[in-house]
PDB file of all heavy atoms in Angstrom:
ATOM      1  N   TYR A 142      42.609  -2.717 105.447  1.00  0.00           N
ATOM      2  CA  TYR A 142      42.034  -1.561 104.757  1.00  0.00           C
ATOM      3  C   TYR A 142      41.258  -0.672 105.740  1.00  0.00           C
ATOM      4  O   TYR A 142      41.354   0.552 105.682  1.00  0.00           O
ATOM      5  CB  TYR A 142      41.076  -1.994 103.644  1.00  0.00           C
ATOM      6  CG  TYR A 142      41.737  -2.370 102.340  1.00  0.00           C
ATOM      7  CD1 TYR A 142      41.323  -3.511 101.655  1.00  0.00           C
ATOM      8  CD2 TYR A 142      42.738  -1.588 101.765  1.00  0.00           C
ATOM      9  CE1 TYR A 142      41.895  -3.859 100.444  1.00  0.00           C
ATOM     10  CE2 TYR A 142      43.313  -1.932 100.551  1.00  0.00           C
ATOM     11  CZ  TYR A 142      42.885  -3.069  99.895  1.00  0.00           C
ATOM     12  OH  TYR A 142      43.441  -3.409  98.690  1.00  0.00           O
ATOM     13  N   ARG A 143      40.497  -1.294 106.644  1.00  0.00           N
ATOM     14  CA  ARG A 143      39.747  -0.503 107.631  1.00  0.00           C
ATOM     15  C   ARG A 143      40.705   0.312 108.500  1.00  0.00           C
ATOM     16  O   ARG A 143      40.412   1.442 108.867  1.00  0.00           O
ATOM     17  CB  ARG A 143      38.909  -1.410 108.524  1.00  0.00           C
ATOM     18  CG  ARG A 143      37.650  -1.922 107.898  1.00  0.00           C
ATOM     19  CD  ARG A 143      36.800  -2.698 108.925  1.00  0.00           C
ATOM     20  NE  ARG A 143      35.810  -3.503 108.260  1.00  0.00           N
ATOM     21  CZ  ARG A 143      35.942  -4.804 107.992  1.00  0.00           C
ATOM     22  NH1 ARG A 143      37.015  -5.464 108.376  1.00  0.00           N
ATOM     23  NH2 ARG A 143      34.981  -5.446 107.369  1.00  0.00           N
ATOM     24  N   GLU A 144      41.841  -0.293 108.829  1.00  0.00           N
ATOM     25  CA  GLU A 144      42.809   0.356 109.717  1.00  0.00           C
ATOM     26  C   GLU A 144      43.621   1.438 109.007  1.00  0.00           C
ATOM     27  O   GLU A 144      43.833   2.519 109.554  1.00  0.00           O
ATOM     28  CB  GLU A 144      43.747  -0.713 110.284  1.00  0.00           C
ATOM     29  CG  GLU A 144      44.755  -0.186 111.279  1.00  0.00           C
ATOM     30  CD  GLU A 144      45.627  -1.317 111.800  1.00  0.00           C
ATOM     31  OE1 GLU A 144      45.072  -2.334 112.233  1.00  0.00           O
ATOM     32  OE2 GLU A 144      46.862  -1.144 111.766  1.00  0.00           O
ATOM     33  N   THR A 145      44.088   1.152 107.800  1.00  0.00           N
ATOM     34  CA  THR A 145      45.004   2.068 107.127  1.00  0.00           C
ATOM     35  C   THR A 145      44.331   2.931 106.063  1.00  0.00           C
ATOM     36  O   THR A 145      44.940   3.872 105.570  1.00  0.00           O
ATOM     37  CB  THR A 145      46.160   1.291 106.468  1.00  0.00           C
ATOM     38  OG1 THR A 145      45.627   0.413 105.474  1.00  0.00           O
ATOM     39  CG2 THR A 145      46.941   0.500 107.502  1.00  0.00           C
ATOM     40  N   GLY A 146      43.102   2.574 105.677  1.00  0.00           N
ATOM     41  CA  GLY A 146      42.382   3.329 104.663  1.00  0.00           C
ATOM     42  C   GLY A 146      42.343   2.606 103.325  1.00  0.00           C
ATOM     43  O   GLY A 146      43.223   1.809 103.014  1.00  0.00           O
ATOM     44  N   LEU A 147      41.317   2.906 102.577  1.00  0.00           N
ATOM     45  CA  LEU A 147      41.127   2.308 101.262  1.00  0.00           C
ATOM     46  C   LEU A 147      41.777   3.175 100.200  1.00  0.00           C
ATOM     47  O   LEU A 147      41.950   4.374 100.408  1.00  0.00           O
ATOM     48  CB  LEU A 147      39.633   2.205 100.935  1.00  0.00           C
ATOM     49  CG  LEU A 147      38.849   1.058 101.542  1.00  0.00           C
ATOM     50  CD1 LEU A 147      38.672   1.220 103.024  1.00  0.00           C
ATOM     51  CD2 LEU A 147      37.483   0.969 100.874  1.00  0.00           C
ATOM     52  N   PRO A 148      42.089   2.569  99.043  1.00  0.00           N
ATOM     53  CA  PRO A 148      42.505   3.410  97.913  1.00  0.00           C
ATOM     54  C   PRO A 148      41.411   4.451  97.647  1.00  0.00           C
ATOM     55  O   PRO A 148      40.229   4.207  97.912  1.00  0.00           O
ATOM     56  CB  PRO A 148      42.620   2.411  96.758  1.00  0.00           C
ATOM     57  CG  PRO A 148      42.795   1.074  97.404  1.00  0.00           C
ATOM     58  CD  PRO A 148      42.047   1.153  98.700  1.00  0.00           C
ATOM     59  N   LEU A 149      41.792   5.606  97.124  1.00  0.00           N
ATOM     60  CA  LEU A 149      40.874   6.734  96.985  1.00  0.00           C
ATOM     61  C   LEU A 149      39.574   6.381  96.256  1.00  0.00           C
ATOM     62  O   LEU A 149      38.488   6.678  96.738  1.00  0.00           O
ATOM     63  CB  LEU A 149      41.562   7.898  96.281  1.00  0.00           C
ATOM     64  CG  LEU A 149      40.695   9.137  96.074  1.00  0.00           C
ATOM     65  CD1 LEU A 149      40.258   9.727  97.410  1.00  0.00           C
ATOM     66  CD2 LEU A 149      41.434  10.165  95.249  1.00  0.00           C
ATOM     67  N   ARG A 150      39.677   5.750  95.079  1.00  0.00           N
ATOM     68  CA  ARG A 150      38.460   5.430  94.331  1.00  0.00           C
ATOM     69  C   ARG A 150      37.595   4.444  95.099  1.00  0.00           C
ATOM     70  O   ARG A 150      36.370   4.560  95.115  1.00  0.00           O
ATOM     71  CB  ARG A 150      38.821   4.883  92.941  1.00  0.00           C
ATOM     72  CG  ARG A 150      39.320   5.977  92.015  1.00  0.00           C
ATOM     73  CD  ARG A 150      39.847   5.455  90.684  1.00  0.00           C
ATOM     74  NE  ARG A 150      41.168   4.864  90.902  1.00  0.00           N
ATOM     75  CZ  ARG A 150      41.572   3.707  90.398  1.00  0.00           C
ATOM     76  NH1 ARG A 150      40.790   2.999  89.613  1.00  0.00           N
ATOM     77  NH2 ARG A 150      42.774   3.258  90.656  1.00  0.00           N
ATOM     78  N   ALA A 151      38.214   3.492  95.764  1.00  0.00           N
ATOM     79  CA  ALA A 151      37.455   2.531  96.571  1.00  0.00           C
ATOM     80  C   ALA A 151      36.764   3.227  97.738  1.00  0.00           C
ATOM     81  O   ALA A 151      35.604   2.928  98.055  1.00  0.00           O
ATOM     82  CB  ALA A 151      38.386   1.428  97.082  1.00  0.00           C
ATOM     83  N   ALA A 152      37.440   4.150  98.375  1.00  0.00           N
ATOM     84  CA  ALA A 152      36.837   4.883  99.496  1.00  0.00           C
ATOM     85  C   ALA A 152      35.651   5.713  99.022  1.00  0.00           C
ATOM     86  O   ALA A 152      34.601   5.754  99.684  1.00  0.00           O
ATOM     87  CB  ALA A 152      37.879   5.780 100.154  1.00  0.00           C
ATOM     88  N   ALA A 153      35.791   6.349  97.865  1.00  0.00           N
ATOM     89  CA  ALA A 153      34.689   7.154  97.327  1.00  0.00           C
ATOM     90  C   ALA A 153      33.476   6.282  97.025  1.00  0.00           C
ATOM     91  O   ALA A 153      32.333   6.640  97.362  1.00  0.00           O
ATOM     92  CB  ALA A 153      35.137   7.894  96.069  1.00  0.00           C
TER      93      ALA A 153
END
Side-chain angles (χ1 to χ4, degrees):
Y142 278 136
R143 283 186 197 98
E144 183 179 309
T145 62
L147 280 70
L149 180 62
R150 287 173 284 135

